[in-house]
Amino acid sequence: MLTLTQIIIMGIGLAVLLLWMFFYIKGYRNAGLFGVLEEKDYPLKDIYFVGYAVMEAIGYTYKSKADRKLRKEIEILYGEKYADYYIRVIYAQKITIAFTLLVLAIPLYLAAGDMTVMVIMVMFAAVAYYYFGTVTEKKIFARSEEMLGDFSEVVSKLALLTNAGMIMREAWEVVAATGSSTIYVEMQRSIHEMNNGVSEVDAFYRFGIRCIIPEIKKFTSTIVQGMIKGNSELAGMLRQQSSEVWAAKRQNVRRQGEKASGKLLIPMMIMFVGILIMVLVPIFFNIGV
């Protein structure tokens, strides 16, 4: 026989389910908005229209301080043109997944007969809402690490070509075509801007803004200054910049090695404690005998 607590929880669960179904029906017409997304980056994308319908229902304007920060992150990853689309995708994603987990919490509680199960599901919903709201930040960090890894090679290639007498724009185009990772894609994007009427100085400045990394911003400032002073001085400035970048990369590799060594200590300590337990427990049992 059901207890009063179970009846109340069932009532709440039914209300949540009906609400989810309402937004599912209401938002279904917008299902096509999310078809272009990659499944690996956007799990359960086929029902994101549920969260999108929730945001439409409350009339959310996406203009809070946190939204302005999120919009800047999106512009770095996807470009200003797609900022409005992806900020809605992110909200739809985290609301849909958190909402769906809440709907599943009640049936799982009733099946298990344990309140702990429902509490865990509610916690999962809260964690999902938070996690999917921070994905862009994690993507930017991973993107920055990848760009820094390739940055030294890019500067070296540019320094070599400009020292050989090639002008910066030509050298930029040649180097941009030699790779397909993020920094090369951003360089190709700068070439596309220049081909569409953006000045070289503005294109290089935008490249630095998109990359957001201080080292690359300094590098683009060096390029702009060198272009103003002339190609001969630019070659020398790039040689100096190349030396500085390689030195910074060596220091970064050293720091990464130190971090990796520190992380290895944790499993080593766990293994050490496990060995101690395996050795000491039989000894204590024998003492008792």
Side-chain angles (χ1 to χ4, degrees):
M1 187 174 178
L2 294 175
T3 65
L4 178 61
T5 302
Q6 288 175 324
I7 293 171
I8 293 171
I9 291 173
M10 282 180 65
I12 295 171
L14 180 61
V16 172
L17 176 60
L18 290 174
L19 194 61
W20 188 94
M21 291 176 66
F22 168 77
F23 285 117
Y24 183 96
I25 296 167
K26 181 178 175 61
Y28 187 75
R29 68 181 187 276
N30 297 311
L33 290 175
F34 309 99
V36 297
L37 300 172
E38 294 288 337
E39 186 69 41
K40 65 176 183 178
D41 294 326
Y42 299 95
L44 301 178
K45 66 170 186 172
D46 293 332
I47 58 169
Y48 283 2
F49 56 83
V50 174
Y52 186 77
V54 173
M55 300 307 291
E56 279 193 323
I58 65 176
Y60 194 71
T61 58
Y62 306 94
K63 292 182 180 178
S64 69
K65 183 178 179 181
D67 293 337
R68 289 194 294 271
K69 177 178 177 292
L70 178 60
R71 188 179 291 272
K72 288 180 181 178
E73 293 172 353
I74 291 169
E75 288 175 1
I76 291 167
L77 292 172
Y78 304 109
E80 186 177 352
K81 181 180 178 181
Y82 300 104
D84 285 338
Y85 172 71
Y86 275 101
I87 195 170
R88 284 163 173 77
V89 167
I90 290 167
Y91 269 97
Q93 179 188 42
K94 63 182 186 177
I95 288 173
T96 298
I97 294 175
F99 199 176
T100 304
L101 287 171
L102 285 176
V103 170
L104 294 173
I106 308 301
L108 288 174
Y109 156 71
L110 293 173
D114 189 347
M115 182 67 75
T116 306
V117 175
M118 190 175 73
V119 172
I120 291 172
M121 290 299 294
V122 171
M123 289 174 61
F124 277 164
V127 169
Y129 184 87
Y130 171 79
Y131 171 78
F132 287 107
T134 60
V135 167
T136 52
E137 195 174 323
K138 291 179 174 65
K139 285 182 178 179
I140 287 174
F141 178 79
R143 177 180 182 270
S144 298
E145 289 291 305
E146 180 190 354
M147 293 182 80
L148 276 175
D150 295 329
F151 180 50
S152 54
E153 292 182 8
V154 168
V155 178
S156 296
K157 291 174 184 177
L158 287 172
L160 182 65
L161 292 173
T162 52
N163 277 309
M166 192 176 287
I167 64 172
M168 173 50 68
R169 178 165 178 170
E170 292 177 352
W172 190 271
E173 290 180 358
V174 170
V175 174
T178 61
S180 58
S181 60
T182 304
I183 193 167
Y184 293 102
V185 170
E186 290 296 342
M187 291 175 74
Q188 292 161 15
R189 186 173 167 184
S190 297
I191 295 166
H192 180 72
E193 289 178 343
M194 286 185 273
N195 290 338
N196 283 277
V198 177
S199 70
E200 292 180 20
V201 170
D202 285 341
F204 293 137
Y205 173 76
R206 291 181 184 181
F207 171 79
I209 295 297
R210 289 195 303 271
C211 294
I212 72 168
I213 304 168
E215 292 87 346
I216 297 182
K217 285 185 176 181
K218 180 182 176 183
F219 165 67
T220 53
S221 297
T222 299
I223 290 177
V224 171
Q225 291 174 16
M227 290 174 67
I228 294 171
K229 294 180 180 180
N231 203 56
S232 58
E233 291 202 27
L234 176 60
M237 294 169 76
L238 283 175
R239 282 198 303 270
Q240 181 181 354
Q241 183 90 33
S242 179
S243 299
E244 292 176 1
V245 167
W246 278 106
K249 184 173 183 177
R250 285 194 294 271
Q251 291 178 357
N252 185 53
V253 170
R254 192 178 299 114
R255 283 196 299 270
Q256 293 297 329
E258 291 171 355
K259 286 181 182 178
S261 299
K263 289 178 180 178
L264 285 173
L265 287 175
I266 297 173
M268 287 174 65
M269 290 298 296
I270 293 172
M271 290 174 64
F272 177 69
V273 171
I275 292 168
L276 279 179
I277 292 171
M278 291 172 63
V279 171
L280 293 176
V281 167
I283 293 174
F284 282 117
F285 272 115
N286 289 331
I287 291 174
V289 174

